[in-house]
Amino acid sequence: MSLRTTSTSPGYVEDVSPGRGALPPRAWYATSDAKSLSLNGSWRFRLSATADAEDEAFAAEGYDAGDWAEVTVPGHWVLQGHGSPIYTNHLYPFPVDPPHVPTENPTGDHLRVFDLPADWPADGGATIRFDGVESCARVWLNGTDIGEFKGSRLPHEFAVGHLLRPTGNVLAVRVHQWSAGSYLEDQDQWWLPGIFRDVTLLHRPAGCALDFFVHASYDHVTGEGTLRVDSGADGRVTVPDLGIDIATGESATVPVRAWTAETPHLYDGVLATEGERVPLRIGFRTVVLEDGLIKVNGKPVLFKGVNRHEWHPDKGRALDLETMRADVLLMKRHNINAVRTSHYPPHPAFLDLCDEYGLWVIDECDLETHGFTEQDWRDNPVDDDRWTPALLDRAARMVERDKNHPSVVFWSLGNEAGTGRGLTAMAEWIRGRDPERLVHYEGDWNCRDTDVYSRMYAFHDEVEKIGRGLDGGTHKRRELPFIQCEYAHAMGNGPGGLADYQELFEKYDRLQGGFVWEWIDHGIRHPELGFAYGGDFGEELHDGNFVCDGLVFPDRRPSPGLIEYKKVIEPVRIEGDGTDGTVRVVNGYDFADLSALAFEWSYQVDGETVEAGALTVPALAPGEAADVKLPEPPAHGRDGEAQWTVRALLAADTAWAAKDHEVAWAQLPLSGRVEPSVAASDRPTASERLIYLGPASFDVRTGALRTVGGVEVTAPRLDVWRAPTDNDEGAEWQSDTRYGALWRKLGLHRMQHRLNGVELTDDALIVRTRVAPAAWEIGLSTVYRWTSDGTRLKLTVSVTPEGDWTVPLPRLGIRLGLADADAVKWFGGGPGEGYPDTKSASALGRWHASVDELQTPYVFPQENGARADVRWVELGGLRIEGDPEFWFSARRWTSEQLDAARHLTDLTPGDTVWVNLDHAQHGIGSQSCGPGPLPQYFLRAEPAEFSFVFSETR
C-alpha cells in the first residue's frame, strides 16, 4: 500500500504565474476629478499558521468577525503584535525548492466593510487598487472571488463596479507570507507580510483616461521641448504656461525650460478626456547613450547617489508622504542627486517628490533571487522559461506605473538575480515599450542586455583601471559608461574611502559616479533594545545587524557617514593654500550655474573667528572656475594658527532648504600652529609612597600618574585596542583580511603591561614598560617620559615594536580615566567624529559638547566618537595639548565594555570617564561589504614618539 500526499497550499500560492483577474497595468497618478475612496485604516484581522487553516467563509456577506483582532492598513501584521519579523540578507528563510513553500505559511485574513460616499456616481465602473501586498493575496468583494496576485511592491487593480452597493460592501483579502513570488523577492531586507501600501477604490467614469504616456523630450541645441501624450482614451492636452492645446497623440514643439535634477522645472498641464480630467506635471528632458557616456539634455551626468530601501522604524515599509518627503529633503540638503530604488519600485508618491525636488532615479524592478547563489544559481527562476511571464509582468507593472516621471532615467531589471533568458526578455520588452530611457542591471557584466557597465563594491584600484579603459571585458562593455550601483557600504562607523572614490569619479569621464549602500538603517524600534536587528526576534536563520547599513539612523538622524558624503560630493569646489590671497572656485554642477549661491569668508586664529564678510564670486557656468581675491588678513589677527574658511550658501529660500543653508565649504591654512613647549626645569622628588613632579604626583613603585594638581587621574597607559567597527569585522567572504578577527587572534584586546623600571633623573621621571599579548612573542616596548616646568606636565611616549608585526594596529595612543568630567571643549576637528579616511567633513575650529554628546549611537555599538586633528582638549579640570595633533575620544565606559555590547541599552555609564588620546588610528574602509582601508590609511606597527602636555584649567 502506498500513500500519496498533496501540497497543503492553495494552488495559486505555488503557481509561478503572476496571478489572475488583475487589470492590465497603467500609469499611476495621485489625483483626478474622478471620485476615489481610501480604504486605508482599521481592518479586522485573523492570523493562521498555514495557508489552508481556514476556509473561505470569512469572505461571504454577513460573516461575523467581531472577535477578530484589528490591524492598521497600510501596515505589516508582524509589526502590530501578530508574529515576528525575519531578517536575512540573501539566504531564503525556507527550503529552496521552487516553486514550493513551507506548510507553515503565516496567512492573514483581512476584512474591511465600507459604504460608498453619498456623492459616489451611479454610472461608470470602479476599480480597487492595491499598491503593495507581501507576498501573495487573494481578493473577494461582497462574496465574489475577483482574483489573486503576486509582486509585492507593485500595483494591482481589479474591476469591481458591477459588485458595488451603496452600503455594507465587504472587502476580504487573504494574504500569505510565502508564495512562489517569494523566490523573486530575496532582497536583503526584513520579510514583512501584510497590506503595506494604500488600498483605494477608484471611480472609472465612462470615457475616463485609462492609461496614458507623457513623452516630453528636450533638444539642447534649440532649447525646445516636444510634448506628445498618448492615451487610451481620446482627449486634449493643455499646458497653459506653454500655450499648448493639442489632441492626445499629437505633438507640439515649443521653447521650454528643461528638467534636470539640479533644475527640476515642471510644467502643470491637464489631460482631459470625455469623462475625466487628470493633472499632469511635465518635465522636458532627453536621456541618451552617446559617445560612451550617459547624457541628459546633451550633457554627461555624474551620479552622487544612494540606494534607498523604504523603511520606518515603527511601520516598516508602510511609509506616509511626510516620511518620504523627509527622505528627499535630507538627500537634497546633503548634496545627493540620485537614488537607486533598491530593490523594487518605491511607493509611487516618492517618485512625484523626486520629480518635484530634483533627483535622478534608477527605478528597479521587484526582482532578486540572490539565495540561489548557494547552489551556484541552479534552478534560478530568471533562467527558467516557466517564470518568464512573472518576470515580464513585474517589468510591465513597474514601467507602466512610473513611465511619466521625468526623474526616472534608468529602468533596472532587478538586483542580484544571476543571468538568464528571463532577464533578456525583460530588457527586450522594456526597450520596445520605452526606448526613451536606458536599461540597467548590475549582474550583466558582459552588458548583453544593458546600456551601462554596472558593478558593486569594485575596489578603488579596479575602478581606476575601468576609468582608464584597462578593465577588459567584451567589446560592448569597453564602450559603455561605468557606474557603481552599490559602493561604500555604510554599515556602522563609516564608510571610509569616500573621498578617494570621488576623486576617481571626477578624474575619468567614463566613471559616472555611484550609489552608496544605503540610505537608512533598518532597525526596528524596540522597548528594551532601542533598535532591534536580525536575531532579536528569535529567528533561527538571520544576518544580524547587516540590516543596519545606512547613512541615516533608523529615526532618520544623519550619521557621520552622511555628513562625510555631503562634503565629499559637494557641487562646488573651493581650493587654494590660503597664502597667496586668492581662492579658486570651481562649479561642479552638471547643469546649474552659481547664481543661486552666496559666498562668504571668515578669518580664524586658533579656531576663533576674527573677521568675516561676503565674497563676490561670479555666476560661473557648469564646469567653469575662477580665482577670487580674498581680503587682506586683519592686522590684529596674525599671531597664532590662522586660516581662511570660505562657504557657499543658498542665497535665497528654495523648495528643499532655507536661505543660508550650507552647500559647500573649505578651509585654507595661512599659518601653522606653534607646538606646545614645556621646559624640563622641575626636578622629580620622592616620598615613601609618591613621586612629585611639578603639579603631579605618581605612584612611587609603578610610576603611574595619580593626580595633576587637584585632579585625580586613572593612570594613562598605552592603548592599541578599539571596539571593532562593522568594517573592522569585515564580511565573512573576506576572511583573509578581516582585521577585527586578526586583532582578536593576536590578543590586542587583552594586552598585558609589564613594568620594566621606574627611573628618576635630574629632570624627568622615566617609566619603562613592555606591552604585549599573551601567547605571542610580539610586543611594544614603551617608554613614558614625564617632565615639568613647575606648572605644566609633559608626557612623551616612545613606542618601539618588537617581533614580527604582520597586521596593522587598531589605534596607538594612551588611555586614562577621569572621575568628574562632563563638559568638553576642544580645538581641532569637529563638530562630529572623524577617522583617517572619514574626516573630509571635519572642520578645524573650537567646539564644545558633553561627554554623552560625543558618542555616535550606532545601532550595533562599536568604536565611535573620535575627534580628529585636535590641538588641545579641556575636560574634567584638565587641559591636554598634543604634539603632534591627535585624536581624542571620551566615554563613560571602556573600549572593552563597548566591544561586549550588542545594543546601546547594554552600555551602562560608570563613575569614570575614559579618555583616549591617540597619536594614530587605523582607517575605517567599508569592508563590511566592500574594500578595507586603503594602504595610506593603515596604522602600521612602526617606531613612534608623541607627547601630551597636561595642566589644570582655570
Side-chain angles (χ1 to χ4, degrees):
M1 179 180 178
S2 64
L3 296 175
R4 299 185 63 186
T5 60
T6 59
S7 171
T8 57
S9 294
Y12 64 89
V13 173
E14 295 184 339
D15 190 340
V16 300
S17 74
R20 64 172 178 85
L23 295 168
R26 65 184 180 95
W28 184 90
Y29 49 94
T31 60
S32 80
D33 64 351
K35 292 290 183 182
S36 66
L37 175 65
S38 172
L39 298 178
N40 295 345
S42 179
W43 290 50
R44 289 290 184 177
F45 175 78
R46 175 181 65 188
L47 180 63
S48 303
T50 64
D52 64 343
E54 302 284 351
D55 61 23
E56 301 167 12
F58 82 104
E61 298 178 70
Y63 183 86
D64 182 5
D67 60 346
W68 286 21
E70 293 188 11
V71 294
T72 298
V73 171
H76 306 278
W77 70 67
V78 294
L79 297 182
Q80 300 184 58
H82 307 280
S84 299
I86 300 169
Y87 167 62
T88 60
N89 168 28
H90 77 280
L91 297 174
Y92 290 104
F94 49 79
V96 180
D97 182 23
H100 304 297
V101 296
T103 299
E104 293 77 18
N105 187 357
T107 295
D109 290 333
H110 298 69
L111 274 178
R112 174 80 153 85
V113 179
F114 65 92
D115 299 334
L116 295 180
D119 60 350
W120 190 269
D123 60 336
T127 66
I128 282 182
R129 183 178 67 217
F130 295 88
D131 281 314
V133 181
E134 183 176 331
S135 74
C136 172
R138 187 177 179 188
V139 186
W140 296 262
L141 181 63
N142 292 330
T144 299
D145 179 359
I146 59 175
E148 71 267 343
F149 61 92
K150 307 179 189 75
S152 296
R153 283 152 281 277
L154 294 162
H156 296 81
E157 280 187 292
F158 297 88
V160 297
H162 60 295
L163 300 174
L164 288 174
R165 58 192 58 166
T167 61
N169 293 282
V170 179
L171 178 60
V173 185
R174 174 164 285 173
V175 180
H176 306 284
Q177 175 156 20
W178 310 122
S179 69
S182 301
Y183 285 98
L184 305 180
E185 297 171 4
D186 187 23
Q187 293 154 325
D188 185 12
Q189 60 180 329
W190 294 97
W191 300 86
L192 298 174
I195 305 173
F196 68 94
R197 286 187 185 158
D198 306 287
V199 182
T200 311
L201 179 69
L202 301 165
H203 180 234
R204 297 284 78 209
C208 63
L210 300 175
D211 189 23
F212 60 92
F213 197 162
V214 176
H215 302 270
S217 61
Y218 179 73
D219 186 330
H220 66 278
V221 176
T222 66
E224 293 178 319
T226 299
L227 175 65
R228 186 184 82 247
V229 178
D230 298 329
S231 173
D234 291 340
R236 297 199 68 79
V237 176
T238 54
V239 186
D241 286 353
L242 296 176
I244 290 177
D245 184 347
I246 55 176
T248 54
E250 293 182 356
S251 297
T253 300
V254 294
V256 298
R257 294 170 58 187
W259 187 98
T260 74
E262 297 168 8
T263 56
H265 189 76
L266 294 171
Y267 289 92
D268 289 321
V270 174
L271 166 61
T273 65
E274 178 186 354
E276 187 176 18
R277 292 174 58 85
V278 181
L280 304 177
R281 303 215 75 195
I282 302 165
F284 289 89
R285 60 104 185 94
T286 297
V287 184
V288 298
L289 183 65
E290 183 179 81
D291 303 324
L293 297 173
I294 305 159
K295 293 185 179 181
V296 179
N297 301 341
K299 293 185 177 183
V301 295
L302 184 62
F303 295 116
K304 303 171 180 179
V306 291
N307 287 272
R308 177 186 174 270
H309 267 301
E310 294 182 303
W311 189 250
H312 187 283
D314 302 307
K315 301 176 183 178
R317 288 188 287 278
L319 266 59
D320 57 56
L321 180 62
E322 288 313 304
T323 298
M324 292 183 263
R325 190 186 308 276
D327 280 345
V328 171
L329 293 178
L330 271 174
M331 291 175 190
K332 292 292 291 186
R333 291 167 186 168
H334 289 85
N335 294 330
I336 290 166
N337 72 359
V339 177
R340 175 178 174 231
T341 68
S342 54
H343 295 297
Y344 43 82
H347 190 291
F350 179 77
L351 298 180
D352 285 343
L353 296 169
C354 294
D355 295 343
E356 178 182 352
Y357 292 102
L359 289 167
W360 307 116
V361 174
I362 296 181
D363 198 358
E364 192 147 273
C365 196
D366 191 12
L367 172 62
E368 181 170 338
T369 64
H370 198 173
F372 284 90
T373 57
E374 298 300 314
Q375 52 198 60
D376 297 322
W377 296 107
R378 187 174 61 256
D379 298 327
N380 185 11
V382 305
D383 201 28
D384 184 335
D385 291 338
R386 294 175 299 169
W387 295 79
T388 299
L391 304 184
L392 290 173
D393 180 76
R394 289 173 183 244
R397 291 188 181 280
M398 170 182 69
V399 171
E400 301 295 4
R401 191 195 77 168
D402 297 342
K403 59 182 177 282
N404 295 325
H405 290 283
S407 57
V408 176
V409 293
F410 268 96
W411 301 117
S412 179
L413 304 181
N415 182 69
E416 292 177 319
T419 57
R421 292 163 287 176
L423 289 166
T424 299
M426 292 171 70
E428 290 175 349
W429 184 90
I430 289 173
R431 286 196 173 95
R433 177 58 173 148
D434 182 23
E436 298 169 358
R437 292 180 174 91
L438 305 179
V439 173
H440 168 272
Y441 178 63
E442 182 273 337
D444 181 12
W445 285 17
N446 290 325
C447 301
R448 179 181 64 178
D449 299 321
T450 60
D451 296 311
V452 61
Y453 177 29
S454 177
R455 290 280 301 281
M456 54 177 68
Y457 308 109
F459 288 16
H460 296 77
D461 55 351
E462 184 181 7
V463 170
E464 179 152 29
K465 287 181 181 178
I466 294 170
R468 296 172 62 193
L470 302 177
D471 55 303
T474 63
H475 177 71
K476 179 182 178 183
R477 187 178 94 181
R478 295 195 304 273
E479 292 184 329
L480 292 179
F482 174 81
I483 62 171
Q484 284 251 64
C485 69
E486 294 180 21
Y487 82 111
H489 198 248
M491 186 176 179
N493 187 334
L498 280 170
D500 307 277
Y501 270 123
Q502 194 64 26
E503 182 179 351
L504 293 172
F505 295 158
E506 296 180 5
K507 182 177 181 181
Y508 298 103
D509 290 342
R510 186 189 183 192
L511 307 181
Q512 293 196 252
F515 297 77
V516 168
W517 186 267
E518 67 159 303
W519 175 241
I520 188 168
D521 287 343
H522 299 197
I524 295 176
R525 203 184 310 273
H526 191 282
E528 298 168 1
L529 302 177
F531 292 110
Y533 49 76
D536 286 335
F537 297 96
E539 310 103 297
E540 181 179 357
L541 183 69
H542 64 86
D543 285 287
N545 68 309
F546 202 70
V547 76
C548 294
D549 46 13
L551 291 171
V552 299
F553 296 119
D555 56 7
R556 284 180 164 75
R557 284 180 296 165
S559 78
L562 180 58
I563 306 303
E564 176 79 357
Y565 194 39
K566 175 187 178 181
K567 174 61 180 168
V568 165
I569 61 175
E570 60 189 13
V572 179
R573 296 295 184 203
I574 302 168
E575 304 166 346
D577 64 10
T579 60
D580 65 356
T582 63
V583 61
R584 187 169 182 80
V585 178
V586 182
N587 182 354
Y589 285 112
D590 294 324
F591 297 93
D593 64 24
L594 298 189
S595 59
L597 300 180
F599 290 78
E600 67 177 31
W601 61 267
S602 59
Y603 183 82
Q604 289 96 28
V605 177
D606 291 337
E608 292 189 314
T609 297
V610 176
E611 284 190 11
L615 186 67
T616 301
V617 176
L620 301 170
E624 286 188 344
D627 292 321
V628 179
K629 186 172 179 56
L630 292 165
E632 287 293 321
H636 58 285
R638 303 196 180 192
D639 295 329
E641 184 176 3
Q643 67 176 13
W644 299 100
T645 297
V646 179
R647 304 165 67 217
L649 313 172
L650 288 181
D653 290 348
T654 70
W656 49 270
K659 179 180 183 292
D660 295 331
H661 166 79
E662 184 178 82
V663 174
W665 60 273
Q667 293 184 318
L668 315 175
L670 194 60
S671 61
R673 69 183 288 241
V674 177
E675 287 77 13
S677 176
V678 175
S681 57
D682 205 55
R683 181 186 181 94
T685 60
S687 68
E688 182 178 347
R689 298 178 54 199
L690 295 174
I691 299 170
Y692 301 96
L693 177 62
S697 65
F698 303 79
D699 185 280
V700 73
R701 184 179 62 85
T702 64
L705 179 67
R706 291 287 180 255
T707 62
V708 177
V711 179
E712 294 185 3
V713 181
T714 302
R717 64 179 187 173
L718 192 75
D719 191 15
V720 299
W721 180 245
R722 72 185 187 196
T725 67
D726 289 311
N727 290 306
D728 290 337
E729 297 289 14
E732 292 183 4
W733 54 89
Q734 296 169 323
S735 58
D736 57 330
T737 54
R738 294 173 65 194
Y739 298 108
L742 293 173
W743 293 338
R744 292 183 200 278
K745 181 179 178 181
L746 276 181
L748 301 189
H749 59 309
R750 47 175 173 77
M751 299 288 272
Q752 298 183 19
H753 297 249
R754 186 182 75 206
L755 179 64
N756 288 339
V758 178
E759 177 184 355
L760 275 65
T761 70
D762 287 345
D763 60 359
L765 164 62
I766 300 172
V767 181
R768 304 182 189 278
T769 68
R770 187 175 191 269
V771 183
W776 299 92
E777 62 180 357
I778 59 173
L780 299 168
S781 174
T782 306
V783 178
Y784 306 96
R785 180 182 176 87
W786 297 93
T787 57
S788 177
D789 61 3
T791 58
R792 297 193 300 165
L793 180 70
K794 181 177 182 179
L795 167 63
T796 300
V797 183
S798 301
V799 181
T800 304
E802 297 177 347
D804 185 15
W805 284 85
T806 58
V807 298
L809 296 171
R811 71 178 347 131
L812 182 66
I814 62 169
R815 175 167 56 170
L816 56 89
L818 297 173
D820 183 19
D822 185 24
V824 184
K825 298 179 182 178
W826 73 97
F827 173 30
E833 72 183 26
Y835 291 82
D837 54 348
T838 69
K839 64 188 183 95
S840 299
S842 182
L844 181 62
R846 293 201 186 195
W847 308 102
H848 61 87
S850 69
V851 168
D852 292 339
E853 289 169 342
L854 292 175
Q855 315 311 308
T856 303
Y858 296 114
V859 173
F860 188 95
Q862 56 198 274
E863 165 64 32
N864 73 89
R867 269 54 179 182
D869 303 317
V870 175
R871 280 69 167 152
W872 55 258
V873 58
E874 294 181 354
L875 76 166
L878 287 182
R879 179 183 175 96
I880 306 169
E881 301 169 79
D883 181 13
E885 295 85 4
F886 59 100
W887 275 268
F888 94 86
S889 57
R891 53 181 67 102
R892 300 185 188 279
W893 37 78
T894 65
S895 295
E896 291 76 17
Q897 291 167 328
L898 185 61
D899 185 20
R902 293 297 174 263
H903 294 87
L904 291 175
T905 51
D906 295 335
L907 293 168
T908 302
D911 295 331
T912 300
V913 170
W914 295 99
V915 180
N916 276 93
L917 308 173
D918 292 317
H919 173 63
Q921 283 265 359
H922 187 60
I924 296 295
S926 65
Q927 200 173 9
S928 50
C929 194
L934 289 169
Q936 61 264 36
Y937 305 118
F938 276 38
L939 174 50
R940 304 184 189 279
E942 298 173 340
E945 184 171 285
F946 49 93
S947 298
F948 298 101
V949 175
F950 299 84
S951 58
E952 281 192 278
T953 57
R954 295 290 186 261

